[in-house]
Amino acid sequence: MRIEEFDALVVGAGLSGLRVGLGLSEGGWNVAVISKVYPVRSHSGAAQGGINAALKNTEAGKDDTPKRHAYDTVYGSDYIADQDAAMLLCEEAPKVVIELESMGTPFSRLESGLIAQRPFGGAGFPRTCYAGDRTGHALLHTLYEQGTRRGVKFFDEYFVIDLITVGESVAGLIALDLNSGELVIFRSELETVILATGGYGRVYDKSTNALINTGDGLGIAFRAGVPMQDCEFVQFHPTTLYGTNILITEGARGEGGFLFNTEGERFMKKYASKAMELAPRDIVARAIDTEKLEGRAFENEYVHLDLTHLGAERIKERLPGIREISMFFAGIDPIDEPIPVQPGQHYSMGGIASKYGGDFGETPLPGLYAIGEASCISVHGANRLGGNSLLETVVFGRYVSKQLLKKGIQRTLSTKDVKKAEELTLQKTEQLLDQWEKNDGKKPIEIKDAMGTTMNTLVGVFRTEEGLTKALNTIRHLQKDFLNVHVSTTDRKFNYGLQHTLELRNMLDIAEVTTYGALWRRESRGGHYRVDFPRRSDEEFLCHSLVYRSADGGLKLETKPVKLGIFEVKERVY
Ligand SMILES: Cc1cc2nc3c(=O)[nH]c(=O)nc-3n(C[C@H](O)[C@H](O)[C@H](O)COP(=O)(O)OP(=O)(O)OC[C@H]3O[C@@H](n4cnc5c(N)ncnc54)[C@H](O)[C@@H]3O)c2cc1C
């Protein structure tokens, strides 16, 4: 049995994992950052539009403040964000953006040399800092370089399968070395594991997310008894390229793009007369789908995002990636023609629950932390504003590393108990993988496709009791099919079938949790829209949902209060 020993283990090498790893390493900890792909292939690298901070760099943004930023965030969240967390996010924002700049991120600049800022949906001021339309790429490379420089130990192409716990504490984890096919135990000397595994967009078949966004961290925590928080809140991005659902950044509308239906009408005026195309994503996504349902979509599928009036020079300078994507994947040059767009899954607001009354990033399981899109520290509530997610990864990655270093953590578990738990986990995992090889049921892809379509059609932009009940039944049938899933080769070296099966195991749990939460939440709020309950109900539902696996194998739901008290709860109109 191969054992790797470190002070702390970080799962995920996206922005959140890299930032926490860097912070701990700078503080003298021996840290492993484990990733199922090479770090710079993490989904963070796909982020286009930018990262928010009230920097006051532009004339239009000179009156902006972190508190205004926090207000927009909480208002945009439809009041489900925890207000103390949103305040911390926005107060730290200017600091982290300047820090990233001094680490080497090549931000786009104003004539004056200051970092440029563009307007984004739901924001009162232009506060989105960007590096062209490849912001995530620039940030990810910066943090990877810094991590390498500071001695973080990277384990690339290792798939983390499960946590190893002793009693109520985390001792480490088990991973599959994808290259050799060997199972490896990672032990944390300081009983600290940080999950930074990103979102679970691929539970849906129409998604802007990378194929690796399969919610592994959520599945791992869920199996260890940690509840999932607010998973019913899924963000559908209004503008994904028709045909492939590749993201067409909100920056395209931020730069002045218009949306048109088949009647040549800028239809957003009917849905958000003031904010128009720059209303928050949930509102624009519902507007597009309403146009479609009422027969004003092209080919009954998409609307037009028109950039032609921006002119060639601006498109080439500010949106080069968007132009490339449109030309390459749709054969359309946005300088001359509008881009065909439709809504698609984009972001997971919910995730691994944060501990009530605990510090930001702490989960209810001692020693287990969650940050980034995998977590639900709850800064986004029911709807995330564009540019706030990149911010969240870096703010909380940095914050958690600082808090851990301050804590002076001592080891509490006995080596004997840890070894026993490791052996048991290894045995159980071997059995599971063996079983999949012996089974004669469906292929993972068949189950995955059925799950993806079900989620898209029944747990999408518009939801109903009937549709959600049907979806839950289908997912539970698919879970039964999964018990007999078949992995087609016994060689574990770079066995994608095996990796996809491990991912599907996590996705099925999260699909079930998402649907269950959506069925329970009989109201409409942010990204969650119930056709049968179109109003927001603060009397009943101004709370977080926590979903657990119950002893009988079903699910159970508890609620958790939302932290209020800074901004008054009011109606959300744009
Ligand atoms: C196309 C696109 C554009 C976006 N644009 C913006 C934007 O402009 N502004 C903004 O604020 N937000 C944007 N977002 C959202 C934002 O990019 C993400 O929420 C954020 O980058 C997530 O970072 P993360 O560190 O949480 O996870 P990720 O970057 O997704 O990284 C997850 C990491 O976990 C690892 N991992 C996962 N499972 C396992 C496992 N089982 N074993 C080992 N490793 C594992 C992966 O290898 C990866 O390294 C965008 C998202 C998408 C999809």
Side-chain angles (χ1 to χ4, degrees):
M1 172 160 78
R2 183 172 141 207
I3 299 180
E4 298 281 354
E5 237 176 299
F6 289 87
D7 291 336
L9 309 170
V10 178
V11 188
L15 285 173
S16 54
L18 290 177
R19 187 61 190 86
V20 77
L22 174 64
L24 291 174
S25 197
E26 281 178 336
W29 281 27
N30 184 19
V31 196
V33 171
I34 308 160
S35 171
K36 66 179 175 181
V37 295
Y38 187 68
V40 292
R41 298 188 65 102
S42 302
H43 188 63
S44 290
Q48 302 170 348
I51 175 167
N52 294 340
L55 293 181
K56 302 166 176 277
N57 281 357
T58 60
E59 179 56 28
K62 68 180 187 315
D63 295 327
D64 201 6
T65 61
K67 192 155 183 194
R68 289 301 308 255
H69 182 185
Y71 170 79
D72 289 343
T73 302
V74 169
Y75 189 71
S77 84
D78 230 345
Y79 293 96
I80 290 282
D82 282 334
Q83 299 190 2
D84 56 349
M87 270 309 275
L88 180 87
L89 177 83
C90 302
E91 274 167 358
E92 293 290 297
K95 259 181 264 172
V96 300
V97 168
I98 303 293
E99 186 185 79
L100 287 162
E101 180 195 33
S102 41
M103 283 178 184
T105 305
F107 282 112
S108 296
R109 290 179 185 280
L110 300 167
E111 288 283 313
S112 63
L114 294 173
I115 295 176
Q117 294 184 282
R118 59 167 50 131
F120 244 47
F125 295 93
R127 64 168 75 97
T128 306
C129 312
Y130 56 95
D133 57 3
R134 298 189 179 105
T135 314
H137 177 91
L139 296 174
L140 195 62
H141 279 263
T142 303
L143 284 182
Y144 183 49
E145 283 161 13
Q146 294 295 327
T148 310
R149 172 168 166 239
R150 297 285 177 187
V152 172
K153 175 84 172 98
F154 288 97
F155 289 85
D156 306 336
E157 300 182 325
Y158 280 70
F159 189 102
V160 175
I161 301 176
D162 271 310
L163 289 174
I164 300 174
T165 52
V166 177
E168 281 284 278
S169 292
V170 174
L173 52 86
I174 185 161
L176 178 71
D177 174 352
L178 294 170
N179 187 26
S180 68
E182 183 190 12
L183 287 170
V184 183
I185 301 285
F186 285 84
R187 190 183 287 168
S188 165
E189 274 295 309
L190 297 179
E191 296 154 21
T192 303
V193 172
I194 301 142
L195 295 174
T197 49
Y200 61 91
R202 281 289 152 183
V203 162
Y204 286 80
D205 70 351
K206 284 196 172 129
S207 172
T208 64
N209 281 202
L211 295 173
I212 53 171
N213 285 13
T214 53
D216 298 336
L218 284 78
I220 289 167
F222 191 58
R223 278 192 298 279
V226 177
M228 296 297 110
Q229 184 176 324
D230 294 346
C231 284
E232 62 273 26
F233 297 119
V234 175
Q235 179 162 84
F236 299 90
H237 199 290
T239 60
T240 76
L241 188 66
Y242 174 58
T244 53
N245 300 104
I246 298 175
L247 180 73
I248 302 296
T249 174
E250 188 165 308
R253 281 169 290 136
E255 292 297 338
F258 297 147
L259 288 169
F260 289 109
N261 61 18
T262 46
E263 294 173 2
E265 176 193 24
R266 259 181 90 190
F267 56 85
M268 278 313 297
K269 66 174 187 274
K270 295 183 292 198
Y271 305 93
S273 58
K274 269 203 246 146
M276 296 290 284
E277 279 85 357
L278 283 180
R281 292 174 178 176
D282 56 327
I283 294 175
V284 185
R286 277 196 294 277
I288 295 178
D289 270 8
T290 306
E291 290 298 303
K292 179 173 140 185
L293 288 171
E294 294 178 1
R296 290 183 297 275
F298 298 90
E299 296 180 49
N300 244 339
E301 285 287 348
Y302 58 86
V303 295
H304 278 159
L305 172 61
D306 191 1
L307 308 182
T308 53
H309 56 284
L310 300 181
E313 202 178 315
R314 182 134 173 211
I315 294 175
K316 283 184 190 162
E317 185 207 327
R318 304 278 181 90
L319 300 163
I322 289 307
R323 180 163 181 243
E324 218 169 79
I325 289 169
S326 306
M327 296 205 303
F328 193 76
F329 291 98
I332 277 168
D333 185 345
I335 292 178
D336 306 317
E337 278 178 277
I339 311 173
V341 292
Q342 66 176 182
Q345 190 286 343
H346 181 58
Y347 184 80
S348 336
M349 269 80 73
I352 301 165
S354 45
K355 179 177 165 184
Y356 188 63
D359 200 358
F360 303 118
E362 260 183 353
T363 76
L365 182 67
L368 185 70
Y369 294 78
I371 50 173
E373 193 172 336
S375 69
C376 188
I377 295 176
S378 200
V379 288
H380 312 301
N383 172 62
R384 170 179 76 90
L385 295 188
N388 266 357
S389 173
L390 290 181
L391 179 62
E392 176 194 13
T393 62
V394 199
V395 165
F396 290 101
R398 182 172 180 268
Y399 180 87
V400 166
S401 68
K402 283 193 165 179
Q403 296 301 97
L404 283 171
L405 292 171
K406 262 195 235 160
K407 264 187 171 173
I409 302 174
Q410 298 291 328
R411 195 164 169 201
T412 57
L413 300 172
S414 78
T415 311
K416 190 168 145 241
D417 289 344
V418 171
K419 282 193 171 155
K420 213 164 109 192
E422 287 169 351
E423 270 158 30
L424 196 70
T425 308
L426 184 69
Q427 224 176 46
K428 279 206 313 228
T429 311
E430 280 288 3
Q431 267 168 13
L432 181 74
L433 304 194
D434 278 351
Q435 190 57 48
W436 288 346
E437 283 154 14
K438 286 187 199 125
N439 281 344
D440 57 3
K442 288 191 174 151
K443 286 186 194 157
I445 188 69
E446 294 173 62
I447 304 177
K448 185 181 168 224
D449 283 350
M451 174 190 67
T453 329
T454 303
M455 293 301 286
N456 228 58
T457 48
L458 301 174
V459 200
V461 174
F462 291 116
R463 302 166 171 186
T464 63
E465 187 94 9
E466 198 194 342
L468 292 168
T469 309
K470 201 168 149 206
L472 195 60
N473 286 335
T474 307
I475 291 158
R476 287 182 170 158
H477 270 109
L478 294 174
Q479 282 171 331
K480 285 208 184 97
D481 288 346
F482 185 77
L483 295 176
N484 195 24
V485 71
H486 172 64
V487 175
S488 58
T489 146
T490 51
D491 188 350
R492 290 188 190 158
K493 278 186 198 163
F494 259 110
N495 184 335
Y496 283 125
L498 180 55
Q499 180 178 336
H500 294 158
T501 312
L502 286 164
E503 291 171 340
L504 184 59
R505 177 178 180 229
N506 297 321
M507 285 200 276
L508 282 169
D509 271 345
I510 303 313
E512 187 191 2
V513 168
T514 302
T515 311
Y516 189 80
L519 200 50
W520 166 79
R521 193 173 280 276
R522 293 176 150 192
E523 66 157 355
S524 293
R525 187 188 290 272
H528 169 70
Y529 193 87
R530 287 282 302 256
V531 177
D532 40 0
F533 297 95
R535 300 222 180 308
R536 188 175 95 184
S537 164
D538 288 343
E539 302 74 49
E540 255 186 293
F541 291 106
L542 183 56
C543 55
H544 298 293
S545 66
L546 294 178
V547 177
Y548 298 79
R549 181 69 72 204
S550 53
D552 63 2
L555 295 179
K556 62 176 181 183
L557 192 146
E558 286 174 5
T559 61
K560 183 170 104 169
V562 175
K563 299 234 191 83
L564 302 169
I566 304 175
F567 304 106
E568 188 197 340
V569 177
K570 48 186 185 185
E571 201 194 340
R572 179 173 170 255
V573 269
Y574 287 92

